[in-house]
Amino acid sequence: MVENRRLGDFFAHLILIAGVAIVAFPVYMAVVASTLDADTIANGQMGLLPGSHGLENYRRLLFEGTSYTTRAPVYGMLVVSLISALGIAIGKIAISLISAYAIVYFRFPLRMIAFWLIFLTLMLPVEVRIYPTYKIVADLHMLDSYAGLTIPLIASATATLLFRQFFMTVPDELAEAAKIDGAGPMQFFRDVLLPLSRTNLAALFVILFIYGWNQYLWPLLITTRDDMQPIVVGIKKIVSTHDALTEWQLAMATAVLAMLPPVLVVVGMQKMFVKGLVETEK
Amino acid sequence: MEKRAIFSNRLLPYLLLAPQLAITLIFFYWPAAQAVKQSFFIEDAFGTTSTFVGFENYRTLLADPYYFKSMGTTLVFAAAVTALSLSLALLLATQADKSLRGAGLYRTLLIWPYAVAPAVAGVLWLFLFQPGLGLAARQLQRLGVDWNPLLNGAQAMTLVTLAAAWKQISYNFLFFLAGLQSIPKSLIEAAAIDGARPARRFWTIVFPLLSPTTFFLIVVNIVYVFFDTFGVIDAVTGGGPAKATETLVYKVFSDGRLGGDLGGSAAQSVILMLIVIALTSVQFRYVERKVTY
Amino acid sequence: MAGVLLDNVAKIYPGGVNAVRGVSFAVPDGGLCVLVGPSGCGKSTLLRMVAGLETVTSGAISIGARVVNDIEPMARDIAMVFQNYALYPHMSVYDNMAYGLRNLKTPEPEISARVRDAARILELSDEMLKRKPRALSGGQRQRVAMGRAIVRKPAVFLFDEPLSNLDAKLRVQMRVEIRRLQRRLKTTALYVTHDQLEAMTLADMLVVMNAGRVEQVGAPLELYERPATTFVAGFLGSPPMNFLNGKIEAQGLARMENGEALAYDAGHFGPPIGADIIAGVRPERTSFAAGEDGLAFKLELVEELGLGRLVHGRVGAAPYAVALPPGAPLPPGETARLAIAAGDVHLFDGKSGVRL
């Protein structure tokens, strides 16, 4: 349209740059803090520029841990986070894929009941059944274990709905052609449906990896051992309630490490991420 | 809509569904049922006997001023986070929707906070506003504000609101942007020909057409504040000071950790369940066409 | 090689919809049988039952000497070409054609030989075999779908409206190719279409279906010239046959609704005097009379087709079309008289529409 665009565009850029700055500022400050020494922060002398203690801080944090609060090296926390995030993401995708397949491509008694049972778990997030779920996991001796960190979280109505939705759009004729070509149900699943689901799988993986990595309440409940806590839980323990004991440069370094993997996934797989986000909300 | 092409195996579908259903029943329905059951019983101090008391636990809960306080806290928190995060996101999305140079870059730079865990977001803002240390706190103190969220409830609430809204901006931004991009350009052009200036075009054409997205986001943000901000609260304030930031979910958690009142805690869980059911029903009414069973 | 036999085949869906109501016919070995009818007449359901994609509610379907009702699709020795081709989008053209053979554990060298053989027949280049279906044109996809069917060397080909997704020009071209291919391979084929022209041109044997039943079976021209019902008469031929209601007045003479008389060929068993009838006349068997005899025709519109001209009008209240050769003179005024030979009048029962 013919309009005075220059002024409008100028303000648009201004607003967006301000927005980007607001969004980035807390993270920038965390990065800066992670390169300073404890005294500079404790004395309130921290400025906008990074210091020179970065390498030392990260090395100490990763392999030795903090001095006062939780003393577990953060390297171990990262491993726990990675394993449980991968476990949750892959587990959710796997079981949702096959349940959606069963619901869409088979007719059997109890089919609708199964569908609704899965669907209604949307209304039962862990936050509303905290202690009874804890008790079951405790009774099953799954506290402080990877099984406990992952399995109770891998049921997924969202992922099942997404795959169901996708399978419905796969033309019937493909399954019929496969039948005529002599493919059984598992062969059709492996040779046709799975390769066709590739982009959906990738998009969902991005979302679920972030979901798994960012779990907080659940691991907080069921882990007591320092070597079984993910980094997102560990960081809270590093920030001690006793202000004087908090080693902020290390806490902020932990925050940076806790953000890095999921942020890299989002930025690196931006297209998949946006697709996954939009589709899972359908 | 039903598939015409189906396979006729009898056992296979059950095998395929077994893992999901097992997890669903063991870790979702069984505990939920336990919570409902326990909410009607009172256990003695040693957990040895329990007595059926009907709605007694609910009556006690609803007579508890702390419970109402927590309810109020949650509502204020939800309103503040939703309003702040939605308006900022809408402002940014309308600017990013203009065909600007570098629009893709702006998008990338605005969406990544989605990946930051609520607890981590909390810690970042906590540090920024840590009295005496954080850059923002020092700035406030220099301006003469008596800044101490560890003692001042309103300030603590402000802090958790900032952290929670910050993390949610990227999500809202993405959905607003998608909503804006789906509005046909011809409508805006028609309005321009009809003599509407840009601001008027926004409020009379764009904003009304965006209302489904806005409504959807309001519900999603309320759900987010109710259930997903646990990490923010726990990392920043631990519910304090003096329970000023204790949301309903946080209250279930902290009451339960102290142990003791199993029935009361269960009643709280059941009320939360009702809230989720209500919220998700609203959400699914909006996306009804997408659930065709 | 095998023929296909349908014996009183019926399909009732779980919801109670009676899609096919007792259909019987036999396709001889090597014949091309076209099932034609309007959408919803049950022709696709019937084909899918032959393929084994739908269960048979009652009756029997045999391929060769074997009743196949309870045999899985892959064991029926059939191949199918779908309307949307149903090519596996993530597999190359080669793999699409090879998939069925691989499932049968055919040795790779033989698969390769058969795929290349089919590709040669269908004029698909080696380079094309490596592509994904997405990178092919509609006509090429159609060929690949046929290729997938031929490599199996099945006893029966099943075609489910294979040309509907092509544009008009390509449709004519592929129609000829399918016919040529089927002649060459001498494989029995069952072909479903709603396009009467496609049906007429392709079929050795035509089965016209309506509302789940067979209206008539026979060679295309036989059906065109002696349609068994008003449905068949109206379905085959474009423009369709004209129908006029009337009563038998005397042997060889009917009184039409507009009060005028129409002479017909009485044959051996004429309908009784006074019976309600429907008289059918093909547009191309009608011309304009020079004199004052014949049914009065009120002219409304002339369509120039190039191949001829089509004159639309009415006899009484009933619409009536006359097809003229190109350049044939039009009647001078708004009204004219129709010249219809007694032998060109088809008589149908006024109620049931069955040929008399």
Side-chain angles (χ1 to χ4, degrees), chain C residues 63-140:
Chain C
I63 296 177
R66 185 166 65 137
V67 174
V68 294
N69 282 28
D70 299 320
I71 293 177
E72 283 176 54
M74 69 160 299
R76 290 189 181 199
D77 203 8
I78 48 129
M80 185 152 168
V81 177
F82 294 87
Q83 177 174 355
N84 62 6
Y85 319 134
L87 299 176
Y88 309 118
H90 58 294
M91 295 186 196
S92 68
V93 167
Y94 182 96
D95 290 335
N96 261 284
M97 295 209 254
Y99 186 64
L101 295 175
R102 286 191 180 133
N103 288 335
L104 293 171
K105 309 260 181 288
T106 314
E108 278 299 324
E110 192 186 338
I111 293 180
S112 169
R114 285 217 223 167
V115 170
R116 293 195 191 281
D117 203 33
R120 193 176 36 74
I121 296 173
L122 294 163
E123 295 169 18
L124 293 166
S125 66
D126 273 2
E127 189 270 327
M128 234 180 263
L129 288 179
K130 290 183 199 125
R131 286 199 213 158
K132 296 274 169 69
R134 195 179 327 118
L136 301 179
S137 70
Q140 289 167 338

Side-chain angles (χ1 to χ4, degrees), chain A residues 1 3 5 8-9 12-13 15-17 19-20 22-27 29-30 33 41-42 44 46 48 95-96 98-99 101-109 111-112 114-125 127-129 131-133 136-137 140 142 151-152 154-156 160 164-165 167-168 170 172-173 175-176 179 184-186 188 210 214 216-217 220-221 232 235-236 239 243 248 252 255 258-259 262-263 266-267 270 273-274 277-278 281-282, chain B residues 1-10 12-17 19-21 23-32 34-35 38 91-92 95-96 98-101 104 106-120 123-128 130-133 135 138 166-167 169 171 173-175 188-189 192 198 201 216 220 227-228 230-231 234-235 249 252-254 256-257 265 269-270 272-273 276-277 280-281 283-284 287 290-293:
Chain A
M1 273 184 285
E3 230 164 14
R5 286 283 305 273
D9 280 6
H13 281 292
I15 290 170
L16 285 168
I17 289 169
V20 168
I22 289 175
V23 159
F25 187 65
V27 175
M29 289 320 293
I41 300 177
M46 183 187 169
L48 285 168
I95 67 168
S96 304
I98 56 177
S99 15
Y101 181 53
I103 286 170
V104 173
Y105 278 97
F106 294 86
R107 293 292 169 272
F108 51 95
R111 174 169 157 266
M112 292 315 289
F115 174 77
W116 281 107
L117 275 178
I118 296 169
F119 178 71
L120 291 177
T121 57
L122 276 181
M123 305 198 171
L124 295 170
E127 287 80 5
V128 307
R129 50 186 169 80
Y131 291 104
T133 318
I136 285 172
V137 171
L140 293 172
M142 283 160 69
I151 293 173
I154 65 177
S156 177
T160 309
R164 172 185 159 271
Q165 202 80 15
F167 291 163
M168 300 294 266
V170 173
D172 280 339
E173 285 83 356
E176 293 177 343
K179 274 187 188 180
M186 287 322 283
F188 169 68
I210 295 167
N214 289 349
Y216 182 74
L217 174 57
L220 184 67
L221 274 176
V232 175
I235 192 177
K236 162 74 196 317
V239 181
D243 192 36
W248 281 105
M252 287 301 109
M259 284 184 279
V263 167
V266 164
V267 174
Q270 197 183 146
F273 162 70
V274 173
L277 200 62
V278 174
E281 288 301 348
K282 278 188 186 168
Chain B
M1 198 168 71
E2 288 277 314
K3 274 274 172 204
R4 182 182 70 198
I6 50 165
F7 293 98
S8 52
N9 303 50
R10 275 164 199 270
L12 189 57
Y14 295 103
L15 290 177
L16 292 169
L17 277 166
Q20 175 104 296
L21 286 183
I23 291 169
T24 302
L25 292 174
I26 297 173
F27 296 108
F28 284 72
Y29 287 102
W30 177 250
Q34 286 294 309
Q38 282 163 6
L91 175 67
L92 293 171
Q95 304 312 310
K98 295 178 181 164
S99 43
L100 292 177
R101 237 193 276 171
Y106 285 127
R107 195 179 81 159
T108 308
L109 291 175
L110 285 170
I111 62 173
W112 57 267
Y114 176 85
V116 178
V120 175
V123 170
L124 293 179
W125 285 83
L126 179 64
F127 176 62
L128 213 51
Q130 191 69 11
L133 303 180
L135 217 62
R138 273 158 49 206
W166 175 81
K167 176 180 154 39
I169 284 180
Y171 184 94
F173 169 78
L174 268 178
F175 275 82
I188 316 238
E189 287 162 359
R201 288 206 294 269
F216 165 77
V220 168
F227 301 101
D228 296 336
F230 177 87
D234 195 41
V249 168
V252 180
F253 172 77
S254 54
R257 194 162 48 173
S265 168
S269 293
V270 172
L272 275 178
M273 267 183 233
V276 195
I277 289 170
T280 30
S281 312
Q283 190 176 343
F284 271 94
V287 285
K290 290 159 187 164
V291 188
T292 44
Y293 270 106

Side-chain angles (χ1 to χ4, degrees), chain C:
Chain C
M1 296 293 132
V4 176
L5 181 71
L6 281 80
D7 183 13
N8 206 17
V9 173
K11 174 75 188 181
I12 300 171
Y13 281 105
V17 177
N18 205 338
V20 176
R21 306 158 182 258
V23 166
S24 303
F25 62 85
V27 187
D29 186 9
L32 199 171
C33 169
V34 176
L35 295 171
V36 68
S39 62
C41 71
K43 56 189 190 301
S44 278
T45 308
L46 202 59
L47 188 80
R48 295 166 53 75
M49 284 195 278
V50 177
L53 298 173
E54 300 276 359
T55 55
V56 178
T57 307
S58 66
I61 297 176
S62 313
I63 296 177
R66 185 166 65 137
V67 174
V68 294
N69 282 28
D70 299 320
I71 293 177
E72 283 176 54
M74 69 160 299
R76 290 189 181 199
D77 203 8
I78 48 129
M80 185 152 168
V81 177
F82 294 87
Q83 177 174 355
N84 62 6
Y85 319 134
L87 299 176
Y88 309 118
H90 58 294
M91 295 186 196
S92 68
V93 167
Y94 182 96
D95 290 335
N96 261 284
M97 295 209 254
Y99 186 64
L101 295 175
R102 286 191 180 133
N103 288 335
L104 293 171
K105 309 260 181 288
T106 314
E108 278 299 324
E110 192 186 338
I111 293 180
S112 169
R114 285 217 223 167
V115 170
R116 293 195 191 281
D117 203 33
R120 193 176 36 74
I121 296 173
L122 294 163
E123 295 169 18
L124 293 166
S125 66
D126 273 2
E127 189 270 327
M128 234 180 263
L129 288 179
K130 290 183 199 125
R131 286 199 213 158
K132 296 274 169 69
R134 195 179 327 118
L136 301 179
S137 70
Q140 289 167 338
R141 285 180 208 179
Q142 172 64 54
R143 280 167 210 268
V144 176
M146 293 210 294
R148 183 166 67 180
I150 339 185
V151 292
R152 299 273 304 278
K153 300 193 176 162
V156 181
F157 282 139
L158 303 174
F159 294 94
D160 189 7
E161 309 230 11
L163 304 180
S164 306
N165 285 10
L166 299 178
D167 63 47
K169 200 168 164 192
L170 207 50
R171 195 148 57 209
V172 174
Q173 186 192 331
M174 288 307 295
R175 193 169 82 198
V176 176
E177 280 194 36
I178 289 182
R179 180 78 249 204
R180 200 180 290 147
L181 188 69
Q182 194 267 340
R183 286 265 162 79
R184 173 170 170 183
L185 300 172
K186 297 191 178 61
T187 305
T188 314
L190 228 61
Y191 187 110
V192 162
T193 179
H194 64 267
D195 179 338
Q196 58 92 17
L197 188 63
E198 203 174 296
M200 294 280 293
T201 52
L202 272 173
D204 293 324
M205 170 185 164
L206 200 53
V207 176
V208 180
M209 291 190 64
N210 181 29
R213 284 181 221 283
V214 169
E215 291 274 335
Q216 194 173 6
V217 179
L221 265 187
E222 188 184 319
L223 265 58
Y224 188 79
E225 276 161 10
R226 285 187 61 79
T229 60
T230 46
F231 179 82
V232 176
F235 192 79
L236 298 180
S238 173
M241 186 181 272
N242 299 301
F243 293 115
L244 299 169
N245 292 322
K247 268 188 196 324
I248 300 293
E249 190 168 272
Q251 281 302 323
L253 194 73
R255 180 67 56 190
M256 307 321 290
E257 265 182 345
N258 68 349
E260 295 173 328
L262 178 69
Y264 67 91
D265 200 344
H268 298 289
F269 307 101
I273 309 258
D276 285 327
I277 53 103
I278 298 168
V281 186
R282 294 244 173 239
E284 69 274 18
R285 298 290 186 154
T286 314
S287 57
F288 292 107
E292 288 302 299
D293 288 338
L295 299 173
F297 175 82
K298 191 163 156 292
L299 189 147
E300 286 175 343
L301 178 76
V302 179
E303 287 180 311
E304 294 291 356
L305 304 177
L307 252 168
R309 41 180 34 160
L310 202 53
V311 185
H312 295 277
R314 285 180 188 277
V315 169
Y320 199 105
V322 181
L324 299 174
L330 291 170
E334 290 277 287
T335 56
R337 295 276 167 185
L338 298 178
I340 299 164
D344 287 332
V345 177
H346 303 258
L347 279 196
F348 302 97
D349 183 274
K351 285 202 187 64
S352 66
V354 173
R355 187 183 192 87
L356 296 168

